[in-house]
Amino acid sequence: MGYKNNQTGYLDGLLSSRAVIKKNNYALIPHDGLVNNVIPGFENCDCSILGSKQLGANFVDYIITLHKDGKNERGFGGEGIETIVYVIDGVLKVSDGNETHEVKKGGYVYLPASTLMYLENGQDADTEIFLYKKRYQPLEGYEAHKVVGNVNDIEPIEYEGMKDVLLWDFLPKDLGFDMNFHILSFEPGASHGYIETHYQEHGAYLLSGQGMYNLDNEWMPVEKGDYIFMSSYVQQAAYAVGRDEPLMYVYSKDCNRDPEI
């Protein structure tokens, strides 16, 4: 099966992990210990499944490294499934079957429900991506559409009026979309303004930095490469620590729909 960090053999010292799994509540999954999964359609790729329904999520998140000639020609997604890919590093070719986009670091592509996503590494070196899928919740009179962008072309928002906490929104404020993707960045010493408790759930992958994260009123250390799942109503907040770089993560959020009874 193999590990994402390519570690082989024994480690020095006792076996230990920062992982905390509270199914249907929250999870912290460190980068060390992630295993590679065989997923039909992905060739010359290392794939790790992160959030899923088995954890309590209404979506599935993956962290994937495409090696030279890495690709998915089978098509990712399916009937009624919406998808989005974010390029952490490298160059990715993304197609909806009609049009192909070359997406570089910081770039993303959203495809609406029932549109298969085809992926191909756009360089000889490795390309790393964060990949997401969810069953779309239709709303009469509205529909989603393809979105292609790059965070480097987006003007960030000062989160809750705090100059040292910045937010990037990927998708338009449009009722056709039942979810959004964001990047949230905390300069060292910055934090949320309060501990949040809300209906929306998140899957978050840490792109840089170190911090302390509150999950269900338990503070725990986090760092680049970690994954966090936050279910509905779990308390959540972050402090950024460290000296050299911000605590930054990309994450999903369901939105624009009334809860079902």
Side-chain angles (χ1 to χ4, degrees), residues 201-223:
E201 61 179 357
H202 301 308
Y205 186 77
L206 275 65
L207 301 172
S208 68
Q210 296 177 321
M212 296 294 295
Y213 220 100
N214 186 307
L215 296 167
D216 201 20
N217 271 342
E218 295 287 339
W219 287 99
M220 52 198 72
V222 296
E223 64 181 5

Side-chain angles (χ1 to χ4, degrees), residues 187-206:
E187 291 298 320
S191 71
H192 283 89
Y194 43 82
I195 294 178
E196 298 180 353
T197 308
H198 53 65
Y199 167 78
Q200 292 79 14
E201 61 179 357
H202 301 308
Y205 186 77
L206 275 65

Side-chain angles (χ1 to χ4, degrees), residues 32-127:
D32 284 336
L34 283 178
V35 298
N36 296 322
N37 306 114
V38 175
I39 301 175
F42 287 92
E43 302 176 36
N44 297 320
C45 297
D46 292 337
C47 307
S48 293
I49 301 169
L50 301 172
S52 68
K53 70 176 184 179
Q54 283 80 2
L55 192 59
N58 291 303
F59 54 82
V60 184
D61 283 329
Y62 312 76
I63 186 73
I64 296 177
T65 300
L66 294 90
H67 303 299
K68 183 180 179 181
D69 300 323
K71 59 188 175 181
N72 185 324
E73 294 181 333
R74 179 186 179 123
F76 175 72
E79 187 66 29
I81 303 297
E82 59 188 335
T83 60
I84 190 167
V85 60
Y86 173 76
V87 179
I88 297 173
D89 196 22
V91 181
L92 183 71
K93 294 180 181 179
V94 184
S95 174
D96 60 4
N98 296 308
E99 188 176 13
T100 299
H101 305 273
E102 186 174 88
V103 188
K104 298 182 179 180
K105 181 177 180 178
Y108 57 91
V109 177
Y110 167 88
L111 294 183
S114 305
T115 304
L116 290 178
M117 177 181 284
Y118 302 91
L119 306 168
E120 181 183 353
N121 191 355
Q123 60 180 17
D124 289 341
D126 288 350
T127 290

